[in-house]
Amino acid sequence: MATRQIILRGDEVLGRMCRPVTSFDSRLHQLLDDMRETLDQAQGYGLAAPQVGILRRVCLVTNTDGEYVELVNPEIVAAEGEQGGYEGCLSVPGLYGWVKRPQRVRVRAQDRDGKTFEVEDVDMSARCFCHEIAHLDGHLFTELVEGPLYTEEELDAAQARQERRKKGRRGE
Ligand code: NI
């Protein structure tokens, strides 16, 4: 396994449409292994193949149990509810923005050996599934952000303000 370099916003590769995977071979397995190591090292939540320069429909997401799920040729087959939350991306380091996503999604994908499966998840994981699958169509979360993009310090301050407002509403 090896880590791969993460491509940053501004590189046209991140805006391209990825092609489906048709060969479930050792190259795919190597890509997935490398993506896992890259994601581990970056301490991220998810990673899509175009972020390491590979224009194939492959991504890694973190489920609610904190495990990585490998998704090959994923598609969202059902979505329900809505959640808002601050989101970031390893290709947009240090910037965060408020994005609305479905509360729950169901995804159909293939595993590294080509076997089709379905997986359903909620909350942060549903957000991660949507974010990573959007990368495969050349979309970044920054296209969906409502309001400003915050730096880490600004985000901390914004969240602290939000906390204070919540407490205020509860009369504490
Ligand atoms: Ni991302």
Side-chain angles (χ1 to χ4, degrees):
M1 287 209 288
T3 59
R4 300 201 186 188
Q5 194 177 346
I6 296 176
I7 290 173
L8 301 181
R9 181 168 66 142
D11 191 312
E12 56 97 26
V13 161
L14 294 177
R16 306 256 299 269
M17 181 71 92
C18 295
R19 296 182 303 276
V21 170
T22 51
S23 301
F24 296 81
D25 54 11
S26 61
R27 263 184 81 162
L28 174 68
H29 296 178
Q30 185 69 56
L31 172 64
L32 281 161
D33 290 345
D34 288 355
M35 284 174 63
R36 188 178 284 254
E37 192 169 330
T38 305
L39 185 55
D40 258 341
Q41 195 190 51
Q43 297 185 306
Y45 210 70
L47 186 67
Q51 292 181 278
V52 294
I54 305 295
L55 290 169
R56 290 286 179 174
R57 303 190 75 79
V58 174
C59 60
L60 265 186
V61 295
T62 302
N63 69 15
T64 300
D65 297 326
E67 299 157 341
Y68 289 148
V69 182
E70 298 176 351
L71 302 176
V72 179
N73 300 328
E75 47 179 324
I76 295 171
V77 291
E80 66 180 50
E82 188 181 76
Q83 56 167 321
Y86 288 105
E87 204 164 309
C89 178
L90 293 174
S91 293
V92 191
L95 291 176
Y96 305 87
W98 184 265
V99 178
K100 281 187 186 145
R101 299 283 191 186
Q103 178 61 31
R104 171 186 294 272
V105 293
R106 186 166 186 82
V107 170
R108 184 180 302 140
Q110 285 165 285
D111 69 13
R112 59 164 62 204
D113 298 312
K115 187 170 180 286
T116 298
F117 67 100
E118 289 198 8
V119 58
E120 192 171 305
D121 222 319
V122 296
D123 303 332
M124 272 288 279
S125 292
R127 172 177 297 285
C128 183
F129 281 54
C130 294
H131 177 121
E132 301 312 329
I133 292 171
H135 270 297
L136 307 182
D137 293 325
H139 294 299
L140 297 182
F141 83 98
T142 48
E143 297 165 40
L144 300 175
V145 167
E146 296 175 22
L149 276 175
Y150 292 110
T151 64
E152 207 140 336
E153 294 77 31
E154 289 166 344
L155 178 64
D156 287 345
Q159 282 176 326
R161 277 198 303 276
Q162 227 169 30
E163 267 317 294
R164 280 201 297 276
R165 276 204 297 272
K166 258 191 246 167
K167 281 184 180 159
R169 278 203 292 275
R170 287 201 303 265
E172 288 166 8

